[in-house]
Amino acid sequence: MRVLILGGDGYLGWPTALHFSARGHEVSVVDNFSRRRWHTEHGTASLTPIADLDARIAAWHETSGDQIRSYVGAVENGDFLDEVVAETRPEAIIHYGQQPSAPFSMLSRERAVETQHSNVIGNLNLLFSMRDHVPDAHLVKLGTMGEYGQPNIDIEEGYIEIEHNDRKDTLPFPKLPGSLYHCSKVHDSTNIHFACRTWDLRATDLNQGVVYGIETDETADDERLITRFDYDELFGTVLNRFCLQAVIGHPLTVYGTGGQTRGFLNIRDTLACVELAATNPADAGEFRVFNQFTEQFSVLELAELVKGAAEHLDYSVEIQHCDNPRVEKEDHYYNAIHTKLLDLGLKPTLLGEELVESMIHSIERYKGNAIEASIDPHTRWDPSKSPAGRA
Amino acid sequence: MRVLILGGDGYLGWPTALHFSARGHEVSVVDNFSRRRWHTEHGTASLTPIADLDARIAAWHETSGDQIRSYVGAVENGDFLDEVVAETRPEAIIHYGQQPSAPFSMLSRERAVETQHSNVIGNLNLLFSMRDHVPDAHLVKLGTMGEYGQPNIDIEEGYIEIEHNDRKDTLPFPKLPGSLYHCSKVHDSTNIHFACRTWDLRATDLNQGVVYGIETDETADDERLITRFDYDELFGTVLNRFCLQAVIGHPLTVYGTGGQTRGFLNIRDTLACVELAATNPADAGEFRVFNQFTEQFSVLELAELVKGAAEHLDYSVEIQHCDNPRVEKEDHYYNAIHTKLLDLGLKPTLLGEELVESMIHSIERYKGNAIEASIDPHTRWDPSKSPAGRA
């Protein structure tokens, strides 16, 4: 299968490229390195020492014999993207090429605009390129569980049957996104759904939970192939950050009570899910939505899990409840359905102390790279509210 | 009240500015004349001879004694908008400053991107300017009934109570927008709702039906104050177009069977609704949605109404069913609730032969300006489909 991966230099994009390449697919990647630029601009960096894209691709060729093609450019540039799609004629397009951080999108007007422009316009350009060059290709788009927010009813996979005044319809599940980044992903879903209805495109929106982990089968054995690992307040996700905090002796920063409950999955399961979606494409005209996570946890449960595992490894760990910089519910109902990927054959890698211990061991190798000042949360969802309420 | 009107040079924006000015409010308008530019680029123009903004404002001052301030610039320019909001410190902001045409958004990738960029980024900039300068101001945003599409259930005003697996919540009404323009308005609603939840802003989304009419109380008596009137395939709305077609002897172009049913309202009622919303503001943190239309009609019903009225005035009128250039349902359930504005006191101006005859008389004065070649639909929602089905 010819596979085009947008954002192929990123935390998930790069291991996904190797995963598909290792399985004999013809892989091309697109990236403009904006993720690396954003880190530079904020004085942060990956904990793991990541090679540049050319060096990664050369190392992969050396170790596997397989070629990955790369195209350097921005998906926001429609002419560029159009040329790449026309030249590579992909059968599956895996779209990770977006600004992926909620706090980044809440930093300022400029960063909010950059996030929504990059994400929405990039994705819109892609829909036109598909329509015009590869109308039968399958778009596998990375969405987020954060599109749904925390409604007081069970969260279905993309659609819900609504009975109202004695009539019925199955309609898009209502969305309550929790940041301007999450809003951008809702916008993408709306645009993709429209394109499927109107142009008969085929697409799968993977509403992914929070990803944790470092290693995948293809990146574990050669340091030149390792993927990035972020732990800073902007790009670090919660479990990865807790593990790093435990290793460097920084308190685990729980925002508020830690009652916030979310779906989580291992990075290895991300690759498995994307592969399942790509090898079982949506029908023409179908906009399919899968909720892509394997387990639900509250933030405090994760902090306690990491504390327990780290203490078994003789670390001394403190859990610190800091003022919640976000505007979000800390005590809420949460039950999200996630059976469609299981039905396609996903075998989840479940989270436990052993897995946390192995993450801690991976982190120990690189702990000297940690920039401790980047960890604590400074980006407030509502700058007019002082930590203890309205200013 | 200090009122800031974005898009104050447009079809609805200009009469709205006069309406508020005539009622003693302190009115400022923002426009970058992109609507005039888009017409120039497509070789189309308003049927009515519209004065430029400075001349309009001078004429209004001459006839009413009232001052309207104007700011020329783009809402996509966040720094510009920020300065305008900081300087005018509005209590109500009425946001019409967007690309308003569905077919325009479907012309090409470039036009789709321009539409979503202008609309989404302009609106996002506005939310930040409100947060930072006038957090208690009330945003009155023009949305569209087209955000909902044609679901098989009754369309509520913005929200719907959903009972699911023995739990209940009131959530945003699911959206099935019918063009990339309509998608942009859904994106705006999502962003505004988020801003209200997160920053305690107050906003009213007016999901407006299709507007018809030319004259309002303030624009009728002095030709220098007249608003624009469009009838071309891109910017002309259906009833306005039918009236012009009847006058110039062009067949009334019904897309497909004409069974498409939508909500409609008179331009005078638009002004009344906007005034009702502005003078009855939403609460802090509230994102209120009103369905702003007064009557439902099918496209064919409107064609027959115009044919009847025009024949009474001795015009000979042909109704022509042309291949539908849009991808849309032509036979569908449609029942949209619209009681909230009535509850606030709206007295609808209902459509009938007499009203159509008065529109026809207004059009007769300017029929020499009509550019007949711009009327028939050329913009196809799916260019791969030939008129009789898939190419």
Side-chain angles (χ1 to χ4, degrees):
Chain A
M1 190 161 50
R2 291 185 302 278
V3 180
L4 178 64
I5 298 173
L6 309 182
D9 185 52
Y11 171 53
L12 301 176
W14 172 245
T16 300
L18 299 190
H19 185 87
F20 277 87
S21 180
R23 278 149 190 81
H25 301 293
E26 194 181 309
V27 175
S28 302
V29 299
V30 169
D31 216 296
N32 69 336
F33 310 123
S34 48
R35 177 67 170 274
R36 295 183 189 236
R37 173 173 57 81
W38 290 320
H39 279 275
T40 303
E41 289 168 2
H42 287 94
T44 56
S46 169
L47 186 80
T48 49
I50 49 175
D52 68 34
L53 183 59
D54 283 348
R56 286 172 151 184
I57 288 175
W60 177 246
H61 181 59
E62 185 188 315
T63 59
S64 71
D66 294 322
Q67 293 281 4
I68 292 176
R69 277 203 286 185
S70 70
Y71 295 86
V72 174
V75 294
E76 301 93 301
N77 178 343
D79 291 336
F80 161 76
L81 187 62
D82 226 37
E83 279 169 34
V84 171
V85 170
E87 185 174 318
T88 57
R89 301 199 67 73
E91 290 150 286
I93 300 174
I94 301 166
H95 184 13
Y96 293 104
Q98 303 203 306
Q99 194 296 98
S101 157
F104 183 93
S105 75
M106 300 304 294
L107 274 168
S108 63
R109 168 166 60 80
E110 287 76 6
R111 291 308 199 184
V113 166
E114 184 176 5
T115 299
Q116 293 213 347
H117 177 83
S118 294
N119 292 4
V120 176
I121 302 304
N123 184 64
L124 185 57
N125 282 333
L126 178 60
L127 296 171
F128 274 93
S129 292
M130 289 178 67
R131 183 194 78 169
D132 294 340
H133 299 293
V134 287
D136 286 323
H138 176 213
L139 170 60
V140 178
K141 167 67 162 53
L142 272 289
T144 159
M145 287 300 295
E147 294 183 35
Y148 300 114
Q150 291 77 47
N152 196 37
I153 58 174
D154 293 343
I155 296 171
E156 298 294 331
E157 301 195 66
Y159 301 90
I160 183 168
E161 186 182 76
I162 299 178
E163 200 175 323
H164 182 53
N165 300 346
D166 296 323
R167 301 183 62 87
K168 252 190 224 180
D169 204 352
T170 298
L171 294 168
F173 197 95
K175 305 287 180 73
L176 293 168
S179 74
L180 288 167
Y181 153 73
H182 290 104
C183 288
S184 79
K185 301 291 244 189
V186 173
H187 307 340
D188 289 342
S189 298
T190 300
N191 282 343
I192 300 169
H193 190 196
F194 172 79
C196 291
R197 293 198 306 276
T198 306
W199 299 331
D200 285 340
L201 298 187
R202 48 184 93 219
T204 303
D205 203 0
L206 298 174
N207 281 347
Q208 188 167 244
V210 184
V211 183
Y212 59 83
I214 306 180
E215 288 178 355
T216 66
D217 287 351
E218 293 79 20
T219 62
D221 296 333
D222 186 325
E223 199 175 69
R224 297 172 301 169
L225 299 177
I226 202 165
T227 194
R228 63 178 309 123
F229 184 88
D230 296 309
Y231 56 90
D232 59 279
E233 65 137 347
L234 294 178
F235 293 100
T237 50
V238 59
L239 182 58
N240 287 355
R241 191 180 73 235
F242 284 165
C243 291
L244 179 280
Q245 289 172 323
V247 169
I248 67 167
H250 190 97
L252 310 193
T253 43
V254 170
Y255 299 174
T257 63
Q260 305 93 315
T261 300
R262 300 289 186 271
F264 289 82
L265 77 165
N266 191 289
I267 188 172
R268 293 173 187 268
D269 285 347
T270 292
L271 307 194
C273 290
V274 169
E275 185 186 359
L276 284 168
T279 53
N280 297 278
D283 292 334
E286 187 187 11
F287 176 61
R288 199 169 57 168
V289 183
F290 297 161
N291 291 347
Q292 177 167 309
F293 70 97
T294 58
E295 299 171 276
Q296 292 188 179
F297 297 100
S298 75
V299 168
L300 190 58
E301 282 170 341
L302 291 180
E304 283 163 354
L305 175 69
V306 171
K307 180 178 163 76
E311 285 175 347
H312 284 166
L313 299 175
D314 291 328
Y315 286 101
S316 157
V317 176
E318 183 199 340
I319 293 177
Q320 186 182 72
H321 290 268
C322 55
D323 296 311
N324 194 339
R326 306 184 176 203
V327 176
E328 63 181 357
K329 294 179 190 167
E330 296 182 7
D331 179 19
H332 58 88
Y333 180 75
Y334 198 76
N335 184 41
I337 311 302
H338 54 113
T339 57
K340 290 189 182 180
L341 283 158
L342 296 170
D343 291 345
L344 285 179
L346 176 66
K347 306 273 177 259
T349 307
L350 297 181
L351 184 61
E353 278 209 9
E354 203 178 340
L355 207 151
V356 171
E357 287 177 19
S358 96
M359 282 177 66
I360 287 175
H361 288 311
S362 301
I363 289 168
E364 283 166 340
R365 259 179 277 159
Y366 304 111
K367 66 180 179 185
N369 296 339
I371 302 167
E372 195 169 354
S374 73
I375 298 175
D376 288 344
H378 297 289
T379 307
R380 307 194 70 78
W381 258 230
D382 184 351
S384 78
K385 284 181 183 133
S386 72
R390 270 269 175 208
Chain B
M1 189 161 48
R2 291 185 302 279
V3 180
L4 178 64
I5 298 173
L6 309 182
D9 185 51
Y11 172 53
L12 301 175
W14 172 245
T16 300
L18 299 190
H19 185 87
F20 277 88
S21 181
R23 278 150 190 80
H25 301 292
E26 194 182 309
V27 175
S28 303
V29 299
V30 169
D31 216 297
N32 68 336
F33 310 122
S34 48
R35 178 67 170 273
R36 295 182 189 237
R37 173 173 56 83
W38 290 320
H39 279 276
T40 304
E41 289 169 1
H42 286 95
T44 56
S46 169
L47 186 78
T48 48
I50 48 175
D52 69 33
L53 183 59
D54 283 347
R56 286 173 150 184
I57 288 175
W60 177 247
H61 180 59
E62 186 189 314
T63 59
S64 72
D66 294 322
Q67 293 281 4
I68 292 176
R69 277 203 286 186
S70 70
Y71 295 86
V72 174
V75 294
E76 301 92 303
N77 178 343
D79 291 336
F80 161 76
L81 187 61
D82 226 37
E83 280 168 32
V84 171
V85 171
E87 186 174 317
T88 57
R89 303 200 66 74
E91 290 149 286
I93 300 174
I94 301 166
H95 184 14
Y96 293 104
Q98 303 203 305
Q99 194 295 99
S101 158
F104 183 93
S105 76
M106 300 304 293
L107 275 169
S108 63
R109 167 165 60 79
E110 287 76 6
R111 292 307 198 186
V113 166
E114 186 177 3
T115 299
Q116 293 214 344
H117 178 83
S118 294
N119 293 5
V120 176
I121 301 305
N123 184 65
L124 186 58
N125 282 333
L126 178 60
L127 295 171
F128 274 92
S129 292
M130 290 179 67
R131 182 193 79 169
D132 294 341
H133 299 293
V134 287
D136 286 323
H138 177 213
L139 170 60
V140 178
K141 167 67 162 55
L142 272 289
T144 159
M145 288 299 296
E147 293 182 35
Y148 300 114
Q150 292 77 46
N152 196 37
I153 58 174
D154 292 344
I155 296 170
E156 298 293 331
E157 301 196 66
Y159 301 89
I160 183 169
E161 186 182 77
I162 299 178
E163 200 175 323
H164 182 54
N165 299 347
D166 296 323
R167 300 182 64 86
K168 253 190 225 181
D169 203 353
T170 298
L171 294 168
F173 197 95
K175 305 288 179 73
L176 292 168
S179 74
L180 289 167
Y181 152 74
H182 290 105
C183 288
S184 78
K185 300 291 242 188
V186 173
H187 306 342
D188 289 342
S189 299
T190 300
N191 282 343
I192 300 170
H193 190 195
F194 172 79
C196 291
R197 293 198 306 277
T198 306
W199 300 330
D200 285 340
L201 298 187
R202 49 183 94 220
T204 303
D205 204 359
L206 298 175
N207 281 347
Q208 186 166 246
V210 184
V211 184
Y212 60 84
I214 305 180
E215 289 177 356
T216 66
D217 288 351
E218 294 79 19
T219 63
D221 296 333
D222 186 325
E223 199 174 71
R224 296 172 302 169
L225 299 177
I226 201 165
T227 194
R228 63 178 309 123
F229 184 87
D230 296 309
Y231 56 90
D232 60 280
E233 66 137 346
L234 294 177
F235 293 100
T237 50
V238 59
L239 183 57
N240 287 355
R241 192 179 74 235
F242 285 166
C243 290
L244 179 279
Q245 288 172 325
V247 170
I248 67 167
H250 191 97
L252 310 193
T253 42
V254 170
Y255 299 175
T257 63
Q260 306 92 316
T261 299
R262 301 289 187 270
F264 289 83
L265 78 166
N266 191 289
I267 186 172
R268 292 173 187 269
D269 285 348
T270 293
L271 307 194
C273 291
V274 168
E275 186 186 359
L276 284 168
T279 52
N280 297 277
D283 292 333
E286 186 187 11
F287 176 61
R288 199 170 58 167
V289 183
F290 297 162
N291 291 347
Q292 177 166 310
F293 71 96
T294 58
E295 299 171 276
Q296 293 188 179
F297 297 100
S298 75
V299 169
L300 190 57
E301 283 170 341
L302 292 181
E304 282 163 355
L305 175 69
V306 171
K307 181 178 162 76
E311 286 175 348
H312 284 164
L313 299 175
D314 290 329
Y315 286 100
S316 157
V317 176
E318 183 199 340
I319 293 177
Q320 186 182 73
H321 291 267
C322 56
D323 296 312
N324 194 340
R326 305 184 176 204
V327 176
E328 64 182 357
K329 293 180 191 167
E330 296 181 7
D331 179 18
H332 58 89
Y333 180 76
Y334 198 77
N335 184 41
I337 310 303
H338 55 112
T339 58
K340 290 189 181 179
L341 283 158
L342 297 170
D343 291 346
L344 285 178
L346 177 66
K347 306 272 176 262
T349 306
L350 297 182
L351 184 62
E353 277 208 10
E354 205 178 340
L355 207 150
V356 172
E357 286 176 21
S358 94
M359 281 177 65
I360 286 176
H361 289 312
S362 303
I363 290 168
E364 283 167 341
R365 259 179 277 160
Y366 305 110
K367 67 180 179 185
N369 296 338
I371 301 166
E372 195 169 353
S374 73
I375 299 175
D376 288 345
H378 296 289
T379 307
R380 306 194 71 77
W381 258 231
D382 185 351
S384 78
K385 282 180 183 135
S386 72
R390 270 267 176 211

